[in-house]
Amino acid sequence: MEKRVVITGMGTVNPLGKNVVDTWNRVLEKKSVIGKVTRFDTSNLPCQIAAEIKDFDYKQYCTEDQLKITKRMDPFCHYAIAAMKEAWESSGVKINDPYRIGVMVGTGIGGLTTQFDNSVALATKGPRRISPFYIPLSIGNIASGYLSMIYGLKGPNLSVQTACASANHAFITSSLMIKAGMADVMFAGATEATMTELAIGGFANMHALSTRNDSPETASRPFDKDRDGFVMGEGSGILCLEEYEHAKKRGANIFCELLSTGLSADSYDLVAPDPEGNGAYASMKMAVEMGGIDVGKIDYINAHGTSTPVGDVAESKAILKLLTKGEDNVCVGSTKSIHGHLLGAAAAIEGIISIMAIKNGKIPANINLFNLDPEIKLKSINMDVVEKDVKIVLSNSFGFGGHNSSVIFGKI
């Protein structure tokens, strides 16, 4: 029989909160945490808003012995350390065989702050001022590697970099490894810290970001006809994926089951999605078929829903194509209007929100949907928190390069 994969731990730090419970409670409040950028002067940038993590101190997540190395690390590693600490503690995992526990923490961009700072140093002070730590602290896989060192985990250790699909791809790959018998436990997710002038300037110049600077709390508007782009966020989310029998044997607290996964490529454009949503549909269809899921029994679809003009329409077409049995049972929504777009870590926080929906029997509301785009034909976008027995949730995440991913979580 095929091995089953369950979720036995979760951890996060993001603009909503520095743990899972606070994050969930803020989602249910239906209030956006997007505001003016405070890290640097944005007066010369077309986009001046973001969802920042406030009052974060990485030192509280580290031992004294770890601080010597950790203090030099890029913020994307700091966020991963914080998320991993909560995931590790909530999982209750004990190390009997370190070679049976792995880590797979991805990122969309990696150590961009380190890259930016060292580029400025090179341009203004010359090559001798480039940090000797620049290379190891900026490469995307270093967060995953460092977490394995902190916890002494010697199982499979990988990182994935598929833009905004990174976290879902980490979940997918980790679950396949567990099913293949390569590990009993995998700590999987993603981390992102791109709150720099370079990132905001780059995304803004390609017209991907909202420029609703005078009303940041309403700037992210998935599915609204007046949406004008996404709003950047930051943070990390990590899940503990575990083989079901292994979890049962040790008496683990099981949050839910990872029922199935799907992935595909648009093969269309570097940054724009297939306008008909064919790749998104293929990803969801694979997840449904691989898991033997009755589409009519999906309770909640956590959409990628970035608030971009083309992306939201394409995904809505894909979802409608999937829902052959109608929309009566399902709620569709995007929480990015509340917490912003965490890029590579987007699917991580949204996966946690999806799991909490199952655990608590509540589906988050969509906010900032003032006028539904007439091109979006979905009738199942809920405007309020919906209370119901949530048994099956599908979570989508799509990345630049046409990388599509879908995961399905189920009540157990």
Side-chain angles (χ1 to χ4, degrees):
M1 293 179 63
E2 184 180 69
K3 295 177 185 289
R4 296 168 65 186
V5 177
V6 293
I7 309 301
T8 57
M10 299 188 288
T12 186
V13 57
N14 62 75
L16 294 170
K18 299 179 182 70
N19 57 63
V20 170
V21 171
D22 287 351
T23 296
W24 176 245
N25 289 337
R26 290 296 296 272
V27 167
L28 296 182
E29 287 176 6
K30 304 192 301 180
K31 293 180 180 178
S32 169
V33 294
I34 294 166
K36 291 281 190 178
V37 172
T38 62
R39 307 268 177 87
F40 48 85
D41 180 15
T42 61
S43 58
N44 63 338
L45 293 171
C47 175
Q48 302 169 3
I49 56 177
E52 297 176 314
I53 296 176
K54 303 291 179 62
D55 304 317
F56 176 79
D57 181 7
Y58 70 87
K59 292 188 286 293
Q60 65 181 292
Y61 303 97
C62 305
T63 66
E64 286 295 325
D65 292 340
Q66 294 162 1
L67 285 176
K68 184 177 180 180
I69 297 175
T70 307
K71 70 180 180 181
R72 302 180 187 275
M73 297 194 129
D74 190 273
F76 93 109
C77 286
H78 292 159
Y79 294 156
I81 291 166
M84 180 68 173
K85 188 173 190 293
E86 185 184 14
W88 178 266
E89 291 174 353
S90 71
S91 73
V93 165
K94 306 296 182 186
I95 303 175
N96 296 315
D97 182 354
Y99 292 95
R100 299 297 300 169
I101 307 175
V103 181
M104 186 168 189
V105 175
T107 183
I109 298 178
L112 189 63
T113 302
T114 298
Q115 294 173 22
F116 178 67
D117 290 346
N118 279 273
S119 295
V120 171
L122 172 63
T124 59
K125 300 176 181 179
R128 291 182 62 83
R129 297 305 296 270
I130 298 172
S131 168
F133 297 96
Y134 163 56
I135 298 298
L137 299 190
S138 64
I139 52 179
N141 64 302
I142 207 67
S144 196
Y146 188 52
L147 293 180
S148 74
M149 298 172 203
I150 291 176
Y151 292 90
L153 308 179
K154 300 183 179 182
N157 191 274
L158 302 90
S159 183
V160 63
Q161 195 162 10
T162 48
C164 306
S166 295
N168 262 2
H169 281 163
F171 300 152
I172 292 168
T173 307
S174 294
S175 68
L176 294 174
M177 286 183 169
I178 291 172
K179 289 183 177 184
M182 300 172 72
D184 299 318
V185 178
M186 290 290 296
F187 285 89
T191 185
E192 201 79 87
T194 58
M195 211 61 68
T196 66
E197 296 163 84
L198 183 63
I200 289 182
F203 280 119
N205 286 354
M206 63 185 291
H207 305 292
L209 297 181
S210 171
T211 56
R212 197 169 272 111
N213 298 318
D214 295 332
S215 181
E217 69 281 357
T218 67
S220 181
R221 303 184 179 191
F223 312 119
D224 189 87
K225 74 178 182 67
D226 295 318
R227 65 193 182 281
D228 68 333
F230 73 84
V231 179
M232 274 181 50
E234 58 180 349
S236 177
I238 295 177
L239 302 181
C240 178
L241 277 61
E242 187 168 355
E243 195 273 321
Y244 175 59
E245 295 297 336
H246 186 274
K248 267 205 322 182
K249 185 176 180 180
R250 69 179 184 87
N253 175 38
I254 297 175
F255 291 99
C256 70
E257 183 172 1
L258 202 169
L259 294 174
S260 187
T261 62
L263 54 169
S264 71
D266 272 357
S267 187
Y268 179 78
D269 185 83
L270 287 178
V271 296
D274 179 333
E276 295 304 313
N278 292 317
Y281 170 70
S283 177
M284 291 186 285
K285 182 172 179 283
M286 178 187 289
V288 167
E289 290 181 347
M290 294 289 287
I293 307 295
D294 182 345
V295 173
K297 292 183 178 179
I298 297 174
D299 296 292
Y300 175 37
I301 296 178
N302 185 296
H304 186 53
T306 58
S307 184
T308 56
V310 178
D312 289 6
V313 172
E315 185 177 11
S316 71
K317 290 178 179 178
I319 291 172
L320 272 178
K321 191 174 179 180
L322 179 77
L323 299 175
T324 54
K325 296 187 178 182
E327 300 178 60
D328 292 344
N329 187 63
V330 70
C331 292
V332 177
S334 169
T335 53
K336 287 184 175 73
S337 54
I338 300 173
H339 53 68
H341 187 358
L342 274 64
L343 305 182
I349 183 176
E350 289 158 23
I352 289 170
I353 290 169
S354 297
I355 293 166
M356 292 297 280
I358 293 171
K359 183 176 182 289
N360 294 283
K362 293 181 179 180
I363 295 173
N366 286 269
I367 71 168
N368 298 339
L369 182 50
F370 306 108
N371 296 288
L372 182 65
D373 186 334
E375 288 191 68
I376 294 173
K377 307 300 182 183
L378 288 167
K379 298 180 176 63
S380 47
I381 301 174
N382 55 299
M383 305 298 291
D384 263 312
V385 174
V386 173
E387 296 193 24
K388 67 178 294 188
D389 183 11
V390 181
K391 295 180 179 178
I392 299 177
V393 176
L394 185 153
S395 180
N396 284 332
S397 206
F398 314 131
F400 283 176
H403 301 286
N404 304 309
S405 63
S406 303
V407 297
I408 300 179
F409 299 103
K411 194 170 188 176
I412 192 168

